[in-house]
Amino acid sequence: MKSIAERLRQQINFIIEIDKVKHIFRKTKLFNKSRFENDAEHAWHLAIMALALGEYANEEIDVSKVIKMVLIHDIVEIDAGDTIVYDSKSRALAWEEEKKAAERIFGILPADQKEEFIALWQEFEEKKSPEAKFAAAIDRFQPILQNYLTDYYAWQAHGITYDQLYSINEHIGEGSETIWALAQKIFDEAKGERAVEE
Amino acid sequence: MKSIAERLRQQINFIIEIDKVKHIFRKTKLFNKSRFENDAEHAWHLAIMALALGEYANEEIDVSKVIKMVLIHDIVEIDAGDTIVYDSKSRALAWEEEKKAAERIFGILPADQKEEFIALWQEFEEKKSPEAKFAAAIDRFQPILQNYLTDYYAWQAHGITYDQLYSINEHIGEGSETIWALAQKIFDEAKGERAVEE
């Protein structure tokens, strides 16, 4: 494509770059257990969850902002890869890599949009605003639902304990008490079925 | 999950149902040509395109509304399946099936949300509002970009002609003159490389 304006070219290059998100696989399986989920599918699912479950946020939220956050939150994994939340050491290392990745990937966009996308991503990562707390809650709840519907596949494969489920996911309650209550019901069922160790 | 409120149960059932969107494959391939794209990945990509390219809409648009439309626009394909836009006969039949599908699938949600999602989907399908026209433009432009980057895979596989590219995609110009100009450059390159018949 010759003779296209520089700004539009940068935007198209960004749209091309992020196709790679469709090749980043997560640790959890699709509900029908046929294969692992990729980051693009995950982000899409979260965006619809924000639409459908937004009413359960503890605080008043701008659902459209939550949607934008979840849509872009995993783009950094193009460079940094997916790490399981239960592995605290990998998560700490990942954070440094993700900051570099955000600079590179969002930096493909024109400067004003780079700034906008990075601000949105940082707000999500900081988990402080009502929108970021709710986005974090559904980001954690979706794999819990996936585990529930796939015979607890990822929890079993990675030997996750009942205590870990509680400590790592507790912050769901900061975004939504209702969703956290539902998550706890799932943890208790998993314990009852001896799918996770105490 | 026993003892969960009826409203929340309906919403969770909807979130479970739409996982099937990840199993509906389109006619176009991912940019690295490794496999066909599914509807969830497509919807996610369009939502980010709305964010990155919204400034090129002909009319003033609410980008958040465009994002919501593209996120849900293909959910009806769970029942109705994916049909290629160049096959007008299948498209006409698909429309009847899609209306039924919308009733069933969005009907899993509580009544107020069913109404909201169906209204959004209908607005998208009618292509009349500024947001719907822009959503339709990026929905058409994304597979054009995919064809461009995958040696025109789908156009070649389905024997699409240069005239068809013009007549079927012309409405991109109603949403965005800039994106339509870019699409035409791609059509001309495809013709120059003899990848499509005149």
Side-chain angles (χ1 to χ4, degrees):
Chain A
M1 286 180 282
K2 296 144 215 149
S3 70
I4 87 168
E6 182 55 18
R7 183 174 172 87
L8 180 56
R9 181 183 299 278
Q10 291 172 329
Q11 291 158 330
I12 297 292
N13 282 342
F14 175 74
I15 288 162
I16 293 171
E17 175 68 19
I18 63 167
D19 208 58
K20 294 176 185 166
V21 169
K22 301 170 191 171
H23 302 288
I24 304 167
F25 284 91
R26 293 168 50 80
K27 309 294 181 279
T28 47
K29 292 200 169 181
L30 299 184
F31 292 159
N32 77 353
K33 308 177 198 170
S34 60
R35 61 166 172 84
F36 291 102
E37 183 183 48
N38 69 54
D39 273 352
E41 297 166 326
H42 166 65
W44 169 80
H45 215 157
L46 294 190
I48 310 248
M49 286 171 72
L51 266 182
L53 303 177
E55 67 193 79
Y56 301 112
N58 293 344
E59 297 165 86
E60 193 152 327
I61 53 164
D62 171 356
V63 170
S64 295
K65 194 176 183 184
V66 175
I67 291 175
K68 289 176 191 172
M69 276 181 187
V70 296
L71 285 172
I72 68 150
H73 80 295
D74 274 341
I75 288 179
V76 294
E77 293 189 357
I78 289 174
D79 289 350
D82 179 61
T83 49
I84 192 162
V85 287
Y86 300 97
D87 182 350
S88 320
K89 209 164 150 192
S90 307
R91 283 305 305 152
L93 284 172
W95 173 235
E96 284 307 312
E97 276 185 63
E98 286 175 2
K99 274 194 285 191
K100 271 186 232 160
E103 276 295 318
R104 184 190 74 76
I105 304 164
F106 297 130
I108 298 170
L109 286 164
D112 58 316
Q113 288 187 319
K114 173 190 175 181
E115 207 177 302
E116 185 192 332
F117 278 64
I118 287 194
L120 206 54
W121 174 73
Q122 278 178 336
E123 185 175 333
F124 172 82
E125 286 292 330
E126 284 166 9
K127 295 187 182 63
K128 280 181 191 157
S129 69
E131 285 81 9
K133 283 190 261 183
F134 186 72
I138 54 177
D139 185 34
R140 293 302 325 128
F141 180 67
Q142 192 241 16
I144 291 169
L145 192 60
Q146 283 173 321
N147 270 283
Y148 182 66
L149 296 169
T150 59
D151 305 320
Y152 312 105
Y153 173 81
W155 296 344
Q156 296 238 308
H158 299 274
I160 306 305
T161 66
Y162 185 75
D163 283 352
Q164 277 180 301
L165 290 179
Y166 262 82
S167 58
I168 298 290
N169 293 302
E170 212 173 9
H171 68 79
I172 292 177
E174 289 170 39
S176 169
E177 285 300 343
T178 305
I179 296 175
W180 177 228
L182 188 55
Q184 290 174 78
K185 276 186 217 283
I186 292 176
F187 299 162
D188 289 345
E189 273 199 46
K191 193 171 82 171
E193 292 173 30
R194 297 174 188 273
V196 290
E197 282 178 51
E198 279 196 58
Chain B
M1 286 178 281
K2 296 144 215 147
S3 70
I4 88 169
E6 182 55 18
R7 182 173 173 87
L8 180 55
R9 181 183 299 277
Q10 291 171 327
Q11 291 158 329
I12 298 291
N13 283 342
F14 175 74
I15 288 162
I16 293 172
E17 175 68 17
I18 62 167
D19 208 57
K20 294 175 185 167
V21 170
K22 301 170 192 171
H23 302 288
I24 304 167
F25 284 90
R26 293 168 51 79
K27 309 293 180 279
T28 46
K29 293 201 169 180
L30 298 184
F31 292 159
N32 77 353
K33 308 174 196 170
S34 61
R35 62 166 172 83
F36 291 102
E37 181 183 49
N38 69 54
D39 273 352
E41 297 167 326
H42 166 65
W44 169 80
H45 216 157
L46 294 190
I48 310 249
M49 285 171 72
L51 265 182
L53 303 177
E55 67 193 79
Y56 301 112
N58 293 344
E59 297 165 87
E60 193 152 326
I61 54 165
D62 172 357
V63 169
S64 294
K65 194 176 183 186
V66 175
I67 291 175
K68 289 175 192 171
M69 276 181 188
V70 297
L71 285 172
I72 67 152
H73 80 295
D74 274 341
I75 287 178
V76 293
E77 294 190 357
I78 289 174
D79 289 350
D82 178 61
T83 47
I84 192 163
V85 286
Y86 300 98
D87 181 350
S88 321
K89 209 165 152 191
S90 307
R91 283 304 306 149
L93 284 171
W95 173 234
E96 283 308 311
E97 276 186 64
E98 287 176 2
K99 275 194 284 191
K100 272 186 231 159
E103 275 297 315
R104 184 191 74 77
I105 304 165
F106 297 129
I108 297 171
L109 286 164
D112 59 315
Q113 289 187 319
K114 173 190 175 180
E115 207 176 303
E116 184 193 332
F117 278 64
I118 287 195
L120 206 53
W121 174 74
Q122 278 178 336
E123 185 176 332
F124 171 82
E125 286 293 331
E126 285 165 9
K127 297 187 180 61
K128 280 182 192 156
S129 69
E131 284 80 10
K133 283 191 262 182
F134 186 72
I138 54 176
D139 185 34
R140 294 300 327 126
F141 180 66
Q142 193 242 13
I144 292 169
L145 192 59
Q146 283 174 319
N147 270 284
Y148 183 65
L149 295 170
T150 59
D151 305 320
Y152 311 105
Y153 174 80
W155 295 345
Q156 296 239 310
H158 299 274
I160 305 306
T161 65
Y162 185 74
D163 283 351
Q164 276 180 301
L165 290 179
Y166 261 82
S167 58
I168 299 291
N169 293 302
E170 213 173 7
H171 68 80
I172 292 177
E174 288 171 39
S176 169
E177 285 298 344
T178 305
I179 296 174
W180 177 228
L182 188 55
Q184 290 176 77
K185 277 188 218 280
I186 293 176
F187 300 162
D188 289 344
E189 272 199 46
K191 194 171 79 170
E193 293 174 28
R194 297 175 187 274
V196 291
E197 280 177 52
E198 279 196 57

